[in-house]
């Protein structure tokens, strides 16, 4: 069964703290994504990765960085947390099948982050 | 550039009534289209997807959606709502040019009244 896990379901951090959110998938997927979800805004892409050590900016990368040292793991880093980064963070992964495209994304359960 | 518009942030239906959630997309290339569902405190899971085979797509839990190119729509329907259908639903589009970057709509929360 497909599985994407996220290190924490809930986190409370202070302004200025460095925050690490971890995501692990067990499907040998090439692609991994980090989104934030806010009411009325849907999901917005922060960063994504198509391969190990590779990363690309999504639509809202400011204030975030990522790391992908191993294929199964994709980390999101908030260098200095701010209150406007309070949100639900969702990790997803998808595979590559040449010629088909549009692969389904498989999501983790989400991390609800509160920055005080 | 691709985009997705979901009409109605909230939809309320009675149990047993028809469910209709609207989605319009914009894409300069033939799209892949998806509906995802999110139950409270969970991640998203795929309900159904259109990838250029049949235009009427059947998904899990009795949901289906029809791709209408002329209307650039991909509305989600279910003939008879069940209380367990209460959730948030997201329409999404991705292109076929590789990378599979997906754009999500803002979501529609479905309420089902007893």
């Amino acid at each position: 069964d497909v599985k994407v896990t996220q290190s924490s379901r809930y986190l409370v951090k202070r302004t200025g703290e460095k925050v690490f959110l971890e995501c692990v998938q067990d499907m040998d997927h090439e692609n991994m994504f980090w989104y934030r979800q806010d009411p009325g805004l849907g999901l917005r892409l922060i960063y994504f990765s198509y391969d190990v050590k590779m990363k690309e900016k999504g639509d809202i990368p400011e204030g975030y960085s990522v790391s992908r040292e191993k294929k199964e793991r994709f980390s999101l880093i908030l260098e200095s947390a701010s209150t406007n980064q309070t949100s639900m963070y969702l990790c997803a992964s998808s595979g590559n099948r040449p010629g088909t495209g549009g692969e389904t994304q498989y999501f983790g359960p989400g991390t609800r982050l509160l920055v005080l | 550039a691709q985009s997705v518009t979901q009409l109605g942030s909230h939809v309320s239906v009675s149990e047993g009534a028809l469910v209709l959630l609207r989605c319009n997309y914009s894409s300069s290339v033939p799209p892949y289209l998806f509906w995802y569902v999110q139950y409270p405190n969970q991640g998203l899971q795929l309900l159904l997807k259109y990838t250029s085979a049949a235009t009427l797509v059947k998904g899990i839990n009795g949901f289906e959606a029809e791709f209408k190119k002329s209307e650039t729509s991909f509305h989600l329907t279910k003939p008879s709502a069940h209380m367990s259908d209460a959730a948030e639903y997201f329409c999404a589009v991705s292109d076929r040019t590789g990378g599979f970057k997906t754009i999500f709509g803002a979501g529609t929360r479905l309420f089902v009244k007893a």
Side-chain angles (χ1 to χ4, degrees):
Chain A
D1 207 13
V2 162
K3 196 138 184 159
V4 178
T5 56
Q6 295 184 229
S7 50
S8 304
R9 293 299 304 273
Y10 301 94
L11 271 180
V12 180
K13 296 292 181 181
R14 297 278 179 195
T15 302
E17 278 192 79
K18 191 169 187 175
V19 182
F20 293 87
L21 303 182
E22 299 279 326
C23 175
V24 178
Q25 49 95 2
D26 66 358
M27 296 160 284
D28 201 34
H29 280 166
E30 292 80 8
N31 312 312
M32 295 188 75
F33 307 82
W34 274 107
Y35 297 90
R36 65 177 281 175
Q37 181 181 11
D38 299 288
L41 297 177
L43 275 68
R44 293 180 291 166
L45 183 63
I46 305 171
Y47 268 96
F48 56 104
S49 169
Y50 295 144
D51 202 353
V52 175
K53 296 193 185 295
M54 175 274 174
K55 59 186 178 184
E56 288 207 21
K57 293 180 180 179
D59 301 316
I60 52 164
E62 297 78 18
Y64 303 93
S65 62
V66 291
S67 171
R68 192 161 180 206
E69 296 296 318
K70 294 186 177 182
K71 190 176 185 180
E72 67 271 17
R73 189 180 297 269
F74 192 36
S75 302
L76 179 69
I77 303 152
L78 285 64
E79 296 289 344
S80 177
S82 64
T83 54
N84 62 13
Q85 292 179 308
T86 291
S87 186
M88 167 75 101
Y89 290 88
L90 291 167
C91 175
S93 72
S94 69
N96 284 345
R97 286 189 293 177
T100 62
E103 274 292 342
T104 301
Q105 294 198 5
Y106 295 88
F107 284 82
T111 296
R112 195 169 290 280
L113 173 66
L114 173 62
V115 182
L116 300 174
Chain B
Q2 296 178 307
S3 66
V4 174
T5 302
Q6 291 184 239
L7 300 175
S9 59
H10 297 84
V11 170
S12 181
V13 300
S14 298
E15 195 172 20
L18 172 72
V19 175
L20 171 60
L21 304 182
R22 299 177 186 273
C23 173
N24 288 90
Y25 71 91
S26 171
S27 178
S28 57
V29 298
Y32 289 107
L33 294 161
F34 307 81
W35 276 99
Y36 287 85
V37 61
Q38 184 180 32
Y39 297 104
N41 297 315
Q42 294 186 27
L44 280 68
Q45 63 184 83
L46 182 71
L47 209 51
L48 50 82
K49 66 179 177 182
Y50 165 77
T51 58
S52 81
T55 56
L56 181 63
V57 181
K58 294 187 185 299
I60 61 172
N61 300 338
F63 284 93
E64 61 182 37
E66 186 172 7
F67 171 67
K68 291 187 176 180
K69 185 178 178 181
S70 60
E71 298 177 8
T72 61
S73 70
F74 191 57
H75 301 332
L76 182 70
T77 60
K78 182 175 179 178
S80 177
H82 192 272
M83 296 297 286
S84 61
D85 295 326
E88 189 153 22
Y89 293 80
F90 293 90
C91 183
V93 61
S94 73
D95 64 36
R96 300 164 184 255
T97 57
F100 317 130
K101 185 179 169 183
T102 301
I103 306 299
F104 289 83
T108 298
R109 185 166 295 278
L110 176 66
F111 297 92
V112 181
K113 299 174 289 187

